[in-house]
Amino acid sequence: KIQVIVIDLFGSNIDIELTRPDEQFGDFSTNVAMQLTKSVGQNPGEIAEKIRSALKAELPEQIANTEVAGPGFINITLTELALVELLDATPSQSLKGKKILVEYSDPNPFKPLHAGHLYTTLVGDSVARLIQAGGAETIRLNYGGDVGLHAGKSMWAIIKFLGGEKPEELNKIPESERPKWLGERYVEGNSAYEDDESFKAEIVDVNKRVYRLHEDQDKESPFAQIYWQCRKWSYDYFATLYKELEVESFDRFIPESEVTKLGTDTVHEQLQKGVYEESDGAIIFDGEKYGLHKRVFINSEGLPTYEAKDVGLSLTKWQDYHFDESIIITANEQDQYMQVVVKSIEQFEPEPAKRTKHITHGTVKLQGGVKMSSRKGNIVTALEIIESASQAGETSDTNPNEETILAAVKYAFTKNRIGGDIVYDPEESIALEGNSGPYLQYAHARARSILSKINVDDGELSDLQPGERSMVRKIGEYTEVIDKAVQELMPHLICTYLYELAQEFNRFYEKNRVVGDEREAVRTKVVKLYADRLKDGLNLLGITAPEKM
RNA sequence: GCACCCGUAGCUCAGUUGGAUAGAGCGUUGGCUUGCGGAGCCAAAGGUCGUAGGUUCGAAUCCUGUCGGGUGCACCA
């Protein structure tokens, strides 16, 4: 609408950006006038004034007031009618008709789940929810390394523990201790590999046997029985965590073993065509030609590295889904690695490479910047994080139930912009005051409690008083926020908004009685709209909104 | 050495396709309580936006240098 006026007046069709300014300035604001200063050759105040008066004349029904302020902002205050109409808007489903793959979580069988896995799982879940909210056909993928050196290390230590290749010995390990037991074996195998040359050689050999077992589709040999049994234990363990977290379930688990052959074959094939090259007995891709670095895809033992398997994975995704977009979420240490892999694929299969987007996040640290490592063994496991939230709740006056604990952890991990490291503080996450999941749950429950005491029908939103208008204004921003969060794939935008919304409500609530007031009907409508948005927003984050707490 | 990410209040973070007095929470200090869930509200103190330049009418935001932290740079994942 402003666009048209600008074109009429100045013949310029720049994009008009409407922002939500501080409430004192109005409902919308734009700085076009300042942007036009140069091309038009008039001072911003004059330009703004022309646009302002034209705009006001054009839309008398929608615009109550406009003014030019500061260096040349045009501030627009909507009429009550227009403001209320904004409430009917729904998120724009901008991804409708697209098929989008989201790969995240990616735990490796035979290795323990540490706090980082919890983080990446929750980030992935919230991003996938956004994509789904955008209307896309969303396919959740989980890729895991069931072959590779780590599996070799674990298998070596497992066999040693069992006193040989004796699968029946596995039955002696109680079900509840299996995840921990597997984690300990990995740590043992890893230390052995690093500390002792002869152990290292043995492990390399075990690693080869694991690959061979897949090629031969061996399920019978004692070695294979141990492998498949422990692999299953790992997957069971992952399933337990996902269930506990109440994250959306994955559409497909793709173990590395499933894509190894395709990846290996492709690399060999493209070696002939010059995409990959031989170097010191290994097959590499020379990313330096593209400002990246060199990486080994097939090692000199002839075994595929992670790189080759990722090639297989990408091609598998492309063949099986023909996606519009493929999103991969990992820790940021894989950032440059992934660029090399994707660049190599681009050389012979450009389409899927171009449609692949890598989102990276930072690492989880505990209060005081303590980092966790899975090499040393002193790791914080995923379940321990949840446990710590629960414990922090018990020592406070909260006494949280499961819903609250999950809300605490999920919100703590999604409220920050994806990218940097995050510091997890259990006490802050479970706190009922401040910017936390439980605070928002409480805010919701309190609003529902008010509504449960109401006996009148909703009123029309008209002749709004200032507090009511502020609430309507804030509620009306909901769809804009969702759209932006979907577009940018940034769940934290929703967190920020919901928190602001709850604060706005608390201000309203402080001054305006609902039940029994002469404006009860109108205010009931406001509270209802507020509670519904809060609930929807929390659900988008995978957080429940209980009626009572 | 090269590359990528990060550096905003004591702490944890928003704000970064350039725009109005840089905003929240926690913590600190003071006020509000006969209340629909006070798990709240109001207010104060607290900032050379790492630092030095540059571009611009205008820079936390863009460019360059520099310092500090993290990560990655060949047979690990």
Side-chain angles (χ1 to χ4, degrees):
Chain A
K1 43 196 176 180
I2 300 179
Q3 189 97 46
V4 176
I5 291 168
V6 172
I7 294 171
D8 283 356
L9 286 173
F10 307 105
S12 167
N13 63 341
I14 58 168
D15 283 338
I16 309 294
E17 194 184 341
L18 278 180
T19 55
R20 288 285 194 167
D22 203 88
E23 192 167 6
Q24 58 172 312
F25 295 123
D27 298 316
F28 288 100
S29 172
T30 179
N31 60 5
V32 259
M34 289 181 279
Q35 292 172 348
L36 285 169
T37 310
K38 231 170 206 168
S39 58
V40 175
Q42 298 173 21
N43 77 50
E46 285 174 33
I47 299 171
E49 183 55 38
K50 285 179 187 165
I51 297 173
R52 187 197 73 78
S53 51
L55 188 61
K56 181 113 194 257
E58 198 85 5
L59 299 166
E61 296 281 303
Q62 283 79 30
I63 295 175
N65 190 33
T66 57
E67 60 179 26
V68 175
F73 291 98
I74 303 168
N75 291 329
I76 300 164
T77 303
L78 298 180
T79 57
E80 193 173 281
L81 182 74
L83 196 64
V84 170
E85 265 178 14
L86 279 181
L87 297 176
D88 296 332
T90 51
S92 63
Q93 298 271 297
S94 56
L95 303 176
K96 208 169 180 69
K98 291 193 176 179
K99 184 189 278 186
I100 301 182
L101 310 186
V102 202
E103 177 203 323
Y104 58 97
S105 193
D106 294 357
N108 286 330
F110 301 100
K111 281 173 90 170
L113 287 171
H114 54 80
H117 285 111
L118 177 67
Y119 182 45
T120 201
T121 301
L122 293 177
V123 166
D125 187 59
S126 63
V127 169
R129 282 173 197 269
L130 285 182
I131 292 168
Q132 195 149 36
E137 182 189 346
T138 309
I139 296 165
R140 295 168 168 82
L141 300 176
N142 190 323
Y143 177 59
D146 62 339
V147 289
L149 195 58
H150 67 282
K153 289 170 181 172
S154 290
M155 279 297 288
W156 177 86
I158 287 166
I159 290 166
K160 203 170 171 68
F161 185 96
L162 299 177
E165 293 177 22
K166 301 172 182 165
E168 66 281 358
E169 291 289 313
L170 284 172
N171 297 327
K172 292 184 182 164
I173 296 150
E175 196 170 338
S176 61
E177 293 183 15
R178 288 169 187 169
K180 188 163 170 260
W181 183 82
L182 281 177
E184 287 165 358
R185 297 294 80 70
Y186 170 73
V187 172
E188 272 175 27
N190 192 57
S191 324
Y193 184 87
E194 282 176 6
D195 299 344
D196 188 306
E197 284 300 317
S198 66
F199 287 160
K200 182 173 175 175
E202 286 176 35
I203 289 168
V204 169
D205 189 54
V206 172
N207 186 26
K208 283 190 199 164
R209 288 182 68 192
V210 172
Y211 276 104
R212 203 177 315 130
L213 164 171
H214 280 281
E215 281 168 29
D216 300 346
Q217 299 193 357
D218 177 5
K219 308 233 172 191
E220 299 305 321
S221 73
F223 182 78
Q225 284 186 43
I226 294 170
Y227 174 84
W228 291 107
Q229 185 65 261
C230 292
R231 182 180 179 277
K232 181 177 183 302
W233 286 0
S234 277
Y235 278 115
D236 288 347
Y237 168 49
F238 302 155
T240 309
L241 178 77
Y242 297 140
K243 194 170 174 216
E244 187 125 346
L245 289 176
E246 293 177 20
V247 291
E248 285 288 325
S249 51
F250 289 92
D251 294 288
R252 182 173 168 193
F253 286 79
I254 308 180
E256 275 184 19
S257 57
E258 213 175 276
V259 299
T260 304
K261 188 175 185 319
L262 178 60
T264 311
D265 292 351
T266 305
V267 171
H268 279 119
E269 193 184 309
Q270 295 302 325
L271 172 66
Q272 305 307 316
K273 301 192 176 162
V275 172
Y276 300 98
E277 52 195 78
E278 280 188 77
S279 175
D280 290 343
I283 301 176
I284 68 159
F285 177 74
D286 184 4
E288 288 173 13
K289 291 175 187 164
Y290 310 91
L292 305 168
H293 58 266
K294 295 180 182 178
R295 296 203 73 101
V296 170
F297 282 62
I298 309 270
N299 69 21
S300 47
E301 300 274 338
L303 294 178
T305 61
Y306 198 57
E307 285 81 343
K309 296 174 210 167
D310 245 322
V311 170
L313 175 63
S314 286
L315 296 180
T316 299
K317 286 178 181 175
W318 181 238
Q319 287 168 7
D320 291 359
Y321 298 104
H322 264 82
F323 50 81
D324 291 288
E325 202 172 342
S326 170
I327 292 166
I328 302 168
I329 300 167
T330 72
N332 51 25
E333 61 211 28
Q334 299 197 20
D335 191 11
Q336 292 167 91
Y337 155 80
M338 193 64 80
Q339 285 183 36
V340 175
V341 172
V342 172
K343 183 55 84 178
S344 83
I345 296 170
E346 195 183 312
Q347 306 310 310
F348 55 91
E349 194 70 90
E351 209 47 48
K354 275 187 255 171
R355 298 183 188 195
T356 298
K357 183 179 178 187
H358 189 204
I359 296 176
T360 65
H361 60 254
T363 50
V364 181
K365 293 177 174 174
L366 296 177
Q367 194 63 8
V370 181
K371 211 199 148 187
M372 313 152 204
S373 147
S374 70
R375 300 266 167 87
K376 306 291 179 210
N378 63 335
I379 56 153
V380 178
T381 68
L383 291 169
E384 278 166 1
I385 290 278
I386 299 172
E387 187 57 26
S388 71
S390 172
Q391 278 171 5
E394 276 163 26
T395 54
S396 75
D397 49 357
T398 318
N399 196 28
N401 61 19
E402 209 145 291
E403 265 185 303
T404 318
I405 293 165
L406 270 184
V409 174
K410 287 186 179 184
Y411 192 84
F413 282 172
T414 45
K415 74 175 178 179
N416 291 351
R417 186 189 179 98
I418 297 172
D421 292 349
I422 69 154
V423 173
Y424 178 70
D425 179 350
E427 289 182 23
E428 190 183 303
S429 79
I430 201 75
L432 288 150
E433 65 276 334
N435 190 1
S436 77
Y439 169 88
L440 291 178
Q441 283 186 323
Y442 179 76
H444 176 261
R446 191 160 62 159
R448 293 293 176 201
S449 167
I450 294 170
L451 293 172
S452 72
K453 296 184 171 64
I454 299 285
N455 308 313
V456 299
D457 293 333
D458 297 358
E460 285 291 312
L461 294 173
S462 59
D463 299 321
L464 298 175
Q465 294 178 354
E468 296 160 1
R469 191 185 189 284
S470 294
M471 274 305 288
V472 171
R473 178 183 187 273
K474 196 71 191 172
I475 293 167
E477 288 179 31
Y478 179 78
T479 52
E480 293 165 35
V481 171
I482 302 301
D483 283 348
K484 187 163 184 202
V486 168
Q487 194 189 332
E488 317 254 332
L489 296 180
M490 288 183 172
H492 82 284
L493 295 176
I494 297 178
C495 296
T496 306
Y497 168 76
L498 292 180
Y499 186 61
E500 286 169 6
L501 178 65
Q503 281 183 310
E504 190 70 58
F505 177 75
N506 282 329
R507 275 191 283 273
F508 168 80
Y509 172 85
E510 192 74 14
K511 297 228 174 68
N512 303 281
R513 202 179 165 78
V514 179
V515 178
D517 191 89
E518 56 180 16
R519 295 190 59 77
E520 179 170 0
V522 175
R523 289 175 181 172
T524 298
K525 177 79 176 167
V526 171
V527 175
K528 199 172 278 181
L529 286 165
Y530 157 72
D532 287 347
R533 295 300 186 283
L534 196 49
K535 182 177 184 176
D536 289 349
L538 285 171
N539 285 343
L540 261 179
L541 297 168
I543 297 172
T544 56
E547 304 277 315
K548 286 179 185 164
M549 286 176 74

